[in-house]
Amino acid sequence: HVAVPVLQVVTDSATASHIASVKNTYSILGNGKLAVNLIKAKQGPATVFEEKIDFNKYDTSGNLVEQQKINDIKSVYFWDYKSSYPVAVINNADSASVAFTSFEAENNGNWSYTGSPLDTVAITGKKAYRLNGSNAVSRSGLNSGVVYFITYWTRNNAAFSVGGTQSGYPIAGKTINGWKFYVHKITGQSSVSISGTGLIDEVRLYPEFALFKTFTYAPLLGITSECDENNRIVYYEYDGFGRLSIIRDENKNVLRRIRYHYNGQQESTTYYYNVAINQNFTRNNCGSGYTGSSVTYTVAANTYSSDISQADANKKASNDITGNGQYYANVTGSCTAACNTSTCSGLDKRCVFGSC
């Protein structure tokens, strides 16, 4: 019964003396589920329970959103993939002052944006978001007296525009597989927006001194990437039976390889890695009267491995290009007006090889 908190009592079996007691109090969530909201404890003969851990907030699915030890920092959790997996853990912040999205599933993570994320090249997970100049990623309800940081990855060579960015920012960080990392420091803002054009991924907002860690998943399989407090990324790969097989660093170097075999079975210790390959694709989804640009899709060396042969490793890279190259061109390529009598007119003007 909710009115009677669960009580755990520890006693000395030899002397029957009281050692400690722990009391859990519960609340009813909006979906009718019970959830612990406070843990209290007392030691020895003490008569008063002391509050130890406060579970401040749950989501509508019963997942813990915010908790803290009494008189200690708060920890926040974001859930996604139909509320099945935790995608972010933030320490030293409350749930109202943080936001995160990797554009993987249905939860916007306290950000607001329109349209759908793209199944394309991403720094983490499988999806990223394309800013087109009119569809900013935004957040309102901030405390204008607090210093915040916004971080993200983009394929642009320049940072996006973020209002309230302080002098000396944005700061450009490392570049990994064509993705560049940027940090903005902002203050004096009750709302922020990230605007511009280009692909963006792994977008974080948090107050100064908070620590942020994020995850992506393949549902029913497992974690596929982990991005830590210093934005160092680890990737996880699985074999055809759904078992964890390779752990890679952010440069796709193998950190750990897990092999499964029967007892006494000879294990192969030779591994092959793909060579770098690329192919040009032309954007083919421009409107009437426009011509798509040419875009190069590249698979870096050592992205794929095989314990069968070099040809097998290279085939995996080739399959990547075949499966993703044209889509990548349609997402990242540009459209220019075709040269014709409407766009190139005048006594001294002619269309030559498509140009006016």
Side-chain angles (χ1 to χ4, degrees):
H1 300 285
V2 178
V4 183
V6 172
L7 178 65
Q8 297 173 305
V9 178
V10 180
T11 59
D12 187 321
S13 60
T15 64
S17 60
H18 179 270
I19 298 176
S21 295
V22 177
K23 181 188 293 186
N24 301 322
T25 61
Y26 294 79
S27 60
I28 301 178
L29 304 180
N31 58 7
K33 294 182 179 180
L34 294 178
V36 178
N37 61 13
L38 184 64
I39 295 178
K40 300 179 180 181
K42 67 176 182 176
Q43 299 293 322
T47 58
V48 178
F49 281 88
E50 294 183 359
E51 296 182 352
K52 295 295 184 180
I53 303 176
D54 196 348
F55 300 94
N56 303 326
K57 187 176 181 180
Y58 292 85
D59 64 19
T60 55
S61 296
N63 296 314
L64 182 63
V65 173
E66 182 181 300
Q67 70 167 345
Q68 67 181 122
K69 293 181 180 179
I70 302 303
N71 298 321
D72 204 343
I73 64 171
K74 294 180 178 179
S75 295
V76 177
Y77 308 90
F78 280 99
W79 298 77
D80 207 350
Y81 303 91
K82 298 183 179 179
S83 299
S84 297
Y85 298 94
V87 295
V89 178
I90 309 101
N91 292 314
N92 202 26
D94 59 42
S95 58
S97 62
V98 293
F100 166 73
T101 182
S102 187
F103 305 103
E104 295 301 304
E106 73 285 347
N107 190 348
N108 290 359
N110 287 344
W111 288 108
S112 295
Y113 55 87
T114 59
S116 300
L118 303 169
D119 286 303
T120 182
V121 178
I123 188 67
T124 59
K126 293 183 177 180
K127 297 182 181 180
Y129 186 70
R130 185 175 180 84
L131 293 170
N132 60 20
S134 60
N135 60 342
V137 176
S138 61
R139 170 67 198 275
S140 59
L142 301 180
N143 185 337
S144 60
V146 172
V147 175
Y148 294 92
F149 283 96
I150 290 178
T151 68
Y152 55 82
W153 295 79
T154 179
R155 296 188 72 85
N156 293 355
N157 291 321
F160 292 112
S161 174
V162 180
T165 298
Q166 298 299 289
S167 176
Y169 289 83
I171 295 176
K174 55 192 172 183
T175 300
I176 301 173
N177 298 321
W179 288 88
K180 195 168 188 64
F181 178 72
Y182 287 98
V183 180
H184 294 252
K185 183 179 182 180
I186 62 173
T187 190
Q189 306 294 308
S190 59
S191 63
V192 294
S193 64
I194 305 171
S195 59
T197 59
L199 289 173
I200 189 171
D201 198 9
E202 192 71 21
V203 189
R204 302 177 176 184
L205 165 73
Y206 54 93
E208 192 174 22
F209 306 122
L211 296 175
F212 219 116
K213 191 172 186 178
T214 60
F215 313 89
T216 62
Y217 300 84
L220 303 180
L221 190 63
I223 185 172
T224 56
S225 71
E226 176 182 320
C227 187
D228 72 10
E229 295 84 353
N230 295 308
N231 283 279
R232 292 174 299 199
I233 302 172
V234 176
Y235 298 101
Y236 299 86
E237 299 175 13
Y238 299 82
D239 65 16
F241 295 98
R243 302 172 301 191
L244 180 63
S245 60
I246 301 176
I247 302 175
R248 299 179 185 268
D249 67 14
E250 58 194 20
N251 296 308
K252 298 302 179 73
N253 299 310
V254 175
L255 299 175
R256 184 181 180 188
R257 185 184 297 274
I258 304 169
R259 296 295 305 273
Y260 302 88
H261 58 85
Y262 294 107
N263 184 31
Q265 180 182 358
Q266 185 67 35
E267 179 181 359
S268 172
T269 57
T270 301
Y271 303 106
Y272 305 90
Y273 300 89
N274 72 285
V275 298
I277 58 174
N278 61 72
Q279 184 174 334
N280 292 329
F281 293 85
T282 299
R283 180 169 179 174
N284 62 13
N285 62 345
C286 296
S288 177
Y290 288 83
T291 301
S293 65
S294 178
V295 175
T296 301
Y297 184 85
T298 300
V299 177
N302 303 321
T303 300
Y304 294 96
S305 64
S306 171
D307 59 2
I308 299 174
S309 66
Q310 181 67 54
D312 185 56
N314 291 339
K315 179 63 175 177
K316 292 178 180 179
S318 179
N319 290 342
D320 186 336
I321 285 183
T322 301
N324 298 303
Q326 186 60 59
Y327 189 90
Y328 177 72
N330 289 345
V331 169
T332 62
S334 60
C335 296
T336 56
C339 188
N340 53 47
T341 55
S342 297
T343 59
C344 183
S345 60
L347 295 177
D348 58 345
K349 294 184 180 298
R350 296 289 187 276
C351 289
V352 179
F353 300 114
S355 299
C356 183

